[in-house]
Amino acid sequence: MNVNGLQKLTLLDYPGKVACTVFLAGCNLRCPFCHNSELIPGSAPAVTDDAGLLDFLKKRQGMLDGVAITGGEPLLRPELPELLLRVRDLGYSVKLDTNGTRPEALERILAAGLADYVAMDVKNSPARYAETCGVETVDLGPIRASIELLRAGAADYEFRTTVVDELHDESSFTAIGPMIEGAKRYYLQPFADRDTVAFAGFHAPGAAALSRYADIVRPFVGAVGIRGDA
Ligand code: SF4
């Protein structure tokens, strides 16, 4: 199994853990603000494979305590459950990032107890979901099914939105709140421009707007946070 990126140490990607981040290329969405746009094609070059990753993790036992799996969309990889099993056998906690479009794969992983923490993107209101994902149409059924699975609580979880001034306004959060009603926690992450973002012209909203958006969602969820700098 190809591994397309490995950040050997992160204190940010896995809340509360000293972790590494594993990047698995291939995504079924095309979010124009994607921070890992070079990993959208499944053909992105590999930096190692599953055996190489497991060797690295054996050497880091006692130094790292978590592995954050991101992409791309990791749930597109049929070999993911086997990899997670082996990572957990080495004593690591697993955090999984997902865009929520593959609830069947998510359910298999949750049922097998292979993820300790799942971070799922809720991209925007239904009205602007496809635009925000960079695709013509998007079926919200699987995304709502993934939300339901996580709300059922088989693993710890968060929902999150990367907030882009050109794509989000108050109506986005008026719609997102009911979509995730009853959820444990929700984060707003202001867009941050990087060299790896394929399209120019996106901006983060200001702090006042982020705070307003957080207030809109707050009545629907257990806790709301704002990550990073606006
Ligand atoms: S779902 Fe994530 S990895 Fe896929 S294009 Fe969107 S931001 Fe990038």
Side-chain angles (χ1 to χ4, degrees), residues 27 29-31 34 40 71-72 99 121 123:
C27 190
L29 301 182
R30 297 289 180 270
C31 308
C34 179
I40 291 177
N99 62 25
D121 299 334
K123 303 276 185 191

Side-chain angles (χ1 to χ4, degrees), residues 97-119:
D97 289 347
T98 180
N99 62 25
T101 57
R102 289 291 183 271
E104 305 83 5
L106 178 61
E107 189 169 22
R108 275 196 295 279
I109 282 169
L110 293 174
L114 295 175
D116 300 278
Y117 193 96
V118 180

Side-chain angles (χ1 to χ4, degrees), residues 26-44:
C27 190
N28 52 340
L29 301 182
R30 297 289 180 270
C31 308
F33 53 87
C34 179
H35 275 168
N36 299 325
S37 58
E38 77 283 7
L39 296 181
I40 291 177
S43 57

